Amino acid sequence: MRPRRPSWWSDAVFYEVYVRSFADSDGDGIGDLEGIRSRLDYLEQLGVDALWLTPFYRSPMADHGYDVSHPRDVDPMFGTLGDFDVLLTEAHRRGIRVTVDVVPNHTSNQHEWFKSALAAGRGSPERERYLFRDGRGPRGAEPPNNWVSVFGGPAWTRVPDGQWYLHLFAPQQPDLNWANADVRYDLERTLRFWLDRGVDGFRIDVAHGMSKPPGLPDMDPRAPEFGGGEYYDPRFDDDGVHEVHQMIRKVLDEYPDAMAVGEIWVHDEERLARYLRPDELHLAFNFRLVLTHFDADAMRTSIERSLAVPRAAGAPATWTLSNHDVWRAASRYGGGAAGVRRARAMALVELAMPGTIYLYQGEELGLPNVSLPPEAMADPRARTQGPEYSRDGERVPIPWEGTLPPYGFSRTPHTWLPMPPDWAGLTVARQLPDPESTLSLYRRALQLRKTHPAFRVGDDLEWYGAPAGCFAFRRGRGGLICALNTSASSIALPPGEVLLTSSPLVEGRLAPDSAVWLV
Ligand code: NOJ
């Protein structure tokens, strides 16, 4: 398919701000909007084009904001609507766009709608906004079907009058009924509310959720947590979801340059491409790099598959190595010094790609996952599925400066997740002046990506022959060359002039666990 006209997001570098953990301005140990505003200079220096802010709306915080009780207001924990407006204006003044999360699959159980659904009782229009059903078996004591929650256990919770309600995530996150007109109208209001304030777009949470098939048939219990794969899983990717995306797109099209990216965990390429049709989402997250271990052959396959879907749909490819739901790259690749070296190498591979990049706060510092004691964990998954499922390790606050926790993140050392005592060498202040630091590598790479002509050509990659455990490709004619070495020996460089390396060359050769850019 012919690519659509390039737009600002087609090759933008987005930076995910996990709001709770970026910067705390009021000393409660939790990040907030004013904290982000106060660190905009840093984001400008880093060289990102746009932010994705995780939910900062009113919420009881059962899933740290992904349980929204009012989608058109700011939770006092994070500030005020006024703080948001100031942040937006100041980011725009620096040429940084701002996109925000929306959570259309579910609300909080403290949302007015859910409270009135409980009060109004079975058969009421209030219950129609959610998925209430009678149970199976004698006296309806068994859940209505066998669906399991992504956070473990049954996806149904029983209410005092005997009915059950569906929640694909925590019990505090009841799923909305997308066949209900109020639900659709409310999302439209929410989109317009933030677009009218000036946001540049949205990240749509669980964008393959929302629609559920009539009759809610049983799932294959072997289906993976987020659905799809070879097993029948009616919880996700129901055909009806596309109507929702068409509705969203109609609203966005009224606002010039507004965009949406969907969080879509669909394994089948053809199914994924459907979300990128011209009247649906502009971008879909691509989690292939996140799911691939540090091996050149496996990475090459992931890259080729990642390029195929958007190419077929005429949309830009997207790339991400980490986010607030997955282990940080430095730890995924083995941890320690080797993990950081590999994460730096993969940063160069990722930033060499044509398309849109999504960075996650702290990856530019080479932060590892933090191993927290179970009593310090705050993720609802840790409670239902056990500490090994906790996502807290990748959500620890950002170390800004100083030698001890909270490293300038907050005024209090009692941060919402404890910060490790050995992060003095990882702070922004320590890394900024150090030319060898991971932060300096990211800054240089982002600057080259933005300014060097070798990045302006080639939406396709031409692969070179390379030794075992390595790959090399070129972007178009005269475009950037990138080589990755995941083997245990150093290798000769492809011909060309070196622009940047993820670790020093060894006698002119590319060291193990390293990547290089050449022109
Ligand atoms: C995906 C979000 O990224 C994750 O943090 C959240 O728990 C689930 N969606 C549920 O909203």
Side-chain angles (χ1 to χ4, degrees), residues 446-476:
L446 291 174
Q447 188 195 30
L448 286 169
R449 187 178 160 91
K450 190 165 282 175
T451 55
H452 200 287
F455 290 85
R456 257 169 253 141
V457 290
D459 278 346
D460 285 319
L461 307 183
E462 179 198 337
W463 296 91
Y464 295 176
C470 306
F471 69 52
F473 61 81
R474 168 176 225 141
R475 280 178 63 155

Side-chain angles (χ1 to χ4, degrees), residues 63 66 106 151 169 173 203 205-206 263 324-325 391 395:
D63 187 19
Y66 283 97
H106 43 263
F151 292 167
F169 295 88
Q173 293 166 296
R203 178 263 189 189
D205 189 60
V206 204
E263 184 208 20
H324 66 282
D325 291 328
R391 297 167 294 177
R395 298 175 176 182

Side-chain angles (χ1 to χ4, degrees), residues 152-427:
W156 297 91
T157 289
R158 202 169 195 194
V159 300
D161 63 24
Q163 277 208 305
W164 299 76
Y165 69 88
L166 179 72
H167 52 86
L168 292 184
F169 295 88
Q172 297 92 333
Q173 293 166 296
D175 275 49
L176 287 162
N177 171 18
W178 273 88
N180 183 277
D182 291 351
V183 169
R184 289 165 184 259
Y185 174 65
D186 196 69
L187 179 66
E188 197 174 323
R189 264 184 83 188
T190 301
L191 297 173
R192 288 186 197 284
F193 179 86
W194 295 106
L195 287 164
D196 289 340
R197 292 196 105 81
V199 304
D200 299 286
F202 299 98
R203 178 263 189 189
I204 300 182
D205 189 60
V206 204
H208 61 318
M210 299 181 269
S211 176
K212 314 290 185 309
L216 306 179
D218 277 348
M219 64 183 279
D220 187 324
R222 291 169 299 177
E225 66 179 32
F226 257 106
E230 54 195 293
Y231 305 109
Y232 178 63
D233 188 353
R235 297 174 305 166
F236 295 106
D237 194 31
D238 181 60
D239 283 344
V241 74
H242 296 286
E243 261 180 54
V244 181
H245 289 299
Q246 286 157 4
M247 180 279 269
I248 294 174
R249 182 60 181 258
K250 275 209 185 91
V251 176
L252 290 176
D253 280 348
E254 292 174 29
Y255 293 80
D257 277 349
M259 55 77 68
V261 60
E263 184 208 20
I264 303 165
W265 293 85
V266 173
H267 306 266
D268 180 281
E269 262 88 23
E270 187 271 329
R271 301 284 310 176
L272 184 57
R274 291 174 185 223
Y275 290 81
L276 293 168
R277 288 179 287 202
D279 58 348
E280 297 195 33
L281 290 164
H282 302 87
L283 301 172
F285 275 115
N286 155 29
F287 297 114
R288 283 197 191 286
L289 293 190
V290 170
L291 299 171
T292 306
H293 55 284
F294 189 73
D295 170 82
D297 288 344
M299 283 295 177
R300 176 176 165 171
T301 305
S302 287
I303 290 168
E304 287 176 315
R305 292 184 69 178
S306 303
L307 286 168
V309 177
R311 191 183 297 130
T318 69
W319 307 94
T320 187
L321 288 172
S322 49
N323 63 38
H324 66 282
D325 291 328
V326 298
W327 268 44
R328 286 190 175 276
S331 298
R332 275 202 324 269
Y333 300 146
V340 176
R341 268 172 82 87
R342 293 171 183 163
R344 289 168 59 113
M346 280 309 300
L348 289 201
V349 171
E350 178 188 37
L351 291 169
M353 292 296 160
T356 310
I357 307 287
Y358 274 89
L359 305 178
Y360 174 48
Q361 67 181 35
E363 74 171 76
E364 78 279 19
L365 304 175
L367 295 187
N369 256 55
V370 178
S371 161
L372 294 163
E375 62 278 11
M377 291 179 179
D379 183 3
R381 285 193 82 159
R383 274 193 297 280
T384 47
Q385 286 175 295
E388 65 277 21
Y389 285 89
S390 167
R391 297 167 294 177
D392 295 307
E394 57 263 22
R395 298 175 176 182
V396 168
I398 294 297
W400 291 97
E401 64 229 355
T403 53
L404 288 173
Y407 304 105
F409 163 73
S410 173
R411 290 197 296 274
T412 173
H414 305 292
T415 49
W416 76 279
L417 290 173
M419 301 179 71
D422 59 350
W423 272 12
L426 293 175
T427 63

Side-chain angles (χ1 to χ4, degrees), residues 34-65:
E34 169 55 21
I36 304 170
R37 192 209 55 77
S38 72
R39 297 290 184 180
L40 283 173
D41 283 348
Y42 169 71
L43 295 168
E44 194 177 1
Q45 273 181 307
L46 178 59
V48 297
D49 302 303
L51 307 181
W52 149 29
L53 306 183
T54 54
F56 49 84
Y57 317 117
R58 275 192 189 265
S59 164
M61 306 290 164
D63 187 19
H64 302 322

